[in-house]
Amino acid sequence: MQRKSLDVWVGLFVVIGVAALMFLALKAGNNSTFSLANTYEITAKFDNIGSLRPQAAVKASGVVVGRVARIAFDDKSYKAAVTLEMDSTYKFPKDSSAKILTAGLLGEQYVGIEAGGDENNLAEGDKIARTQSAAVLEDLINQFIYSKAAEGKD
Amino acid sequence: MIGRRVLAGVGNTVRDYVESVGYATRTFFTMLGLSPGMMRRPHLVIEQLHFIGNYSLLIITLSGLFVGMVLGLQGYYTLNKYGASESLGLLVALGLTRELGPVITGLLFAGRAGTSLTAEIGLMKAGEQLSAMEMMAVNPIQRVLAPRFWAGVIAVPLLASIFSAVGILGGYLVGVGLIGVDAGAFWSQMQGGIDLWKDVGNGFVKSVVFGIAITFIALYQGYETRPTPEDVAGATTRTVVVSSLMIWWLDFMLTALMFSK
């Protein structure tokens, strides 16, 4: 009897501990690696990806429709090749465009997809032709300073 | 003449210190070697798991809740200055899973369970129970130290997970419940910024390492205490001091190893 109640208490402790770990892994963590949804991969090349990271969200109209799977550097076009893992429940026309956006002022960067008008949809292995790079703060500041300097000369 | 005596004293201290490190290492490996034999009686571990795990649950849960609440409050004041209060969930979860969960759990565990282990084994030694075991051909390292060690190694990661999970809920209570941060943003920023293996996984590895270090320090201090009331008291103090310093040092080392590129 003594042994039995001890087992119950220890069991309870272990169950609570494992449940807490599951909570951390599934609720707090980025659980997309466990995703069982069907996906198709497409690639997009960007001049500059800013601080985009693997596992960043791919959004269309603010809805998450996929994740960034891999980021590599293409040494033929000298561009960043970003592989996007798209949820197969969402289809996009072949001439859709991709741009790198920032969530809020200090937020994470993500890829935004804007649907085009083509009748055919993007499929596994397709490339997105039209892309827009991340806004790099230094470039924007430089442009601003140059334009101010140019104004001063006139 | 005095110079020589001082030099000899320093040399002796260093030699004693190195010797005790060597002896501790030998005891550690002896204990690991004897562990498979101990596993034939798993109820010894279960009993200890109850003793050091269940009894630490209350202090860990309450501390986790309050740490999470304080993080939520302080984080909000700072983030709000930059208009980034939606990142509160990310800040709370990142702070807890990477650092505060394992470290504070380790410190609390050293104070709550570590001291009781040291005192228990120190008193067993003072009462000559360990010598009596040896007389009966029972190895006290296998019968007394090993079950407590494995119970500690299992308990600390579970306690650290509970601490972090309750802490996130505490941050949620303050941030979303009291202050009014958007609940959806709280979770989505957290999920967007926390990596399963890099943050949650490494935090878990940290807590396992802390569990090994604290439990062994507590057991060793108890096992090596001189059988006098003063020294048993001194050993419990040493457990807290040594394991606290060890936690900070290991935390620095592990963070440098895990999060640097």
Side-chain angles (χ1 to χ4, degrees):
Chain A
M1 195 61 209
Q2 182 80 36
R3 178 72 59 80
K4 216 162 201 175
S5 85
L6 184 78
D7 284 349
V8 169
W9 284 113
V10 173
L12 202 64
F13 167 62
V14 174
V15 166
I16 294 172
V18 173
L21 193 63
M22 291 285 281
F23 170 81
L24 290 179
L26 298 176
K27 183 77 181 167
N30 189 339
N31 58 355
S32 64
T33 43
F34 283 149
S35 171
L36 294 171
N38 286 323
T39 55
Y40 61 98
E41 286 194 348
I42 53 174
T43 52
K45 285 180 183 165
F46 295 92
D47 291 322
N48 193 331
I49 57 162
S51 61
L52 189 75
R53 292 191 314 175
Q55 296 299 326
V58 178
K59 293 182 181 177
S61 309
V63 180
V64 178
V65 294
R67 296 265 167 200
V68 172
R70 288 181 297 281
I71 295 172
F73 182 69
D74 180 24
D75 59 1
K76 296 201 171 56
S77 58
Y78 304 112
K79 285 183 174 180
V82 178
T83 308
L84 309 174
E85 207 168 53
M86 308 292 289
D87 195 324
S88 54
T89 46
Y90 303 111
K91 306 283 182 213
F92 291 92
K94 271 203 189 301
D95 60 345
S96 300
S97 62
K99 48 177 142 180
I100 294 177
L101 302 164
T102 310
L105 189 62
L106 296 166
E108 293 267 309
Q109 287 193 304
Y110 65 94
V111 179
I113 302 264
E114 256 175 56
D118 201 305
E119 286 180 0
N120 295 321
N121 287 333
L122 284 166
E124 175 79 31
D126 279 355
K127 288 191 180 77
I128 293 184
R130 288 195 292 161
T131 61
Q132 190 182 316
S133 292
V136 180
L137 208 56
E138 287 85 346
D139 289 350
L140 290 177
I141 293 169
N142 279 341
Q143 272 178 15
F144 178 73
I145 291 170
Y146 283 129
S147 68
K148 278 285 165 198
E151 270 174 32
K153 270 181 199 165
D154 293 338
Chain B
M1 200 58 193
I2 293 170
R4 251 176 91 182
R5 206 173 291 164
V6 170
L7 207 63
V10 170
N12 249 338
T13 314
V14 172
R15 193 183 174 283
D16 282 354
Y17 180 72
V18 172
E19 191 193 332
S20 71
V21 169
Y23 183 66
T25 311
R26 186 153 63 86
T27 313
F28 182 72
F29 282 104
T30 309
M31 189 181 67
L32 287 190
L34 290 169
S35 292
M38 179 268 305
M39 290 298 174
R40 266 176 285 159
R41 270 175 291 182
H43 70 94
L44 290 177
V45 182
I46 305 283
E47 265 167 28
Q48 293 305 320
L49 204 54
H50 180 248
F51 182 61
I52 63 185
N54 282 50
Y55 290 171
S56 308
L57 208 51
L58 188 65
I59 189 173
I60 293 287
T61 314
L62 284 179
S63 308
L65 185 69
F66 287 125
V67 167
M69 286 165 82
V70 169
L71 263 183
L73 207 55
Q74 294 284 16
Y76 177 78
Y77 286 138
T78 314
L79 288 173
N80 201 31
K81 281 183 191 165
Y82 303 99
S85 53
E86 275 77 29
S87 301
L88 186 66
L90 177 61
L91 178 126
V92 171
L94 213 55
L96 281 166
T97 52
R98 274 191 176 187
E99 288 294 334
L100 294 172
V103 170
I104 298 185
T105 304
L107 294 173
L108 290 172
F109 185 80
R112 170 64 184 80
T115 47
S116 71
L117 286 178
T118 308
E120 189 193 6
I121 294 172
L123 287 173
M124 282 170 114
K125 186 153 187 181
E128 303 211 332
Q129 289 178 42
L130 298 183
S131 321
M133 277 185 186
E134 277 175 10
M135 297 279 270
M136 294 187 288
V138 175
N139 190 333
I141 294 183
Q142 187 175 29
R143 186 69 172 73
V144 177
L145 297 202
R148 285 165 176 76
F149 174 75
W150 287 108
V153 174
I154 296 167
V156 175
L158 292 177
L159 290 170
S161 303
I162 294 169
F163 186 97
S164 298
V166 173
I168 289 172
L169 293 179
Y172 178 84
L173 276 181
V174 169
V176 177
L178 286 178
I179 300 174
V181 174
D182 180 54
F186 184 90
W187 292 114
S188 69
Q189 286 275 332
M190 191 190 296
Q191 288 163 355
I194 295 233
D195 191 77
L196 181 59
W197 301 117
K198 205 165 179 270
D199 299 318
V200 180
N202 282 348
F204 187 79
V205 171
K206 263 189 190 180
S207 59
V208 173
V209 175
F210 292 166
I212 294 172
I214 303 161
T215 318
F216 182 69
I217 288 168
L219 295 174
Y220 179 76
Q221 293 294 348
Y223 191 65
E224 272 312 295
T225 182
R226 279 189 294 275
T228 60
E230 296 86 16
D231 213 57
V232 172
T236 49
T237 312
R238 277 199 299 279
T239 294
V240 174
V241 174
V242 176
S243 37
S244 304
L245 292 176
M246 196 62 149
I247 287 168
W248 293 117
W249 180 73
L250 281 172
D251 185 46
F252 173 74
M253 298 292 286
L254 290 172
T255 306
L257 278 175
M258 287 168 172
F259 297 115
S260 62
K261 280 200 179 139

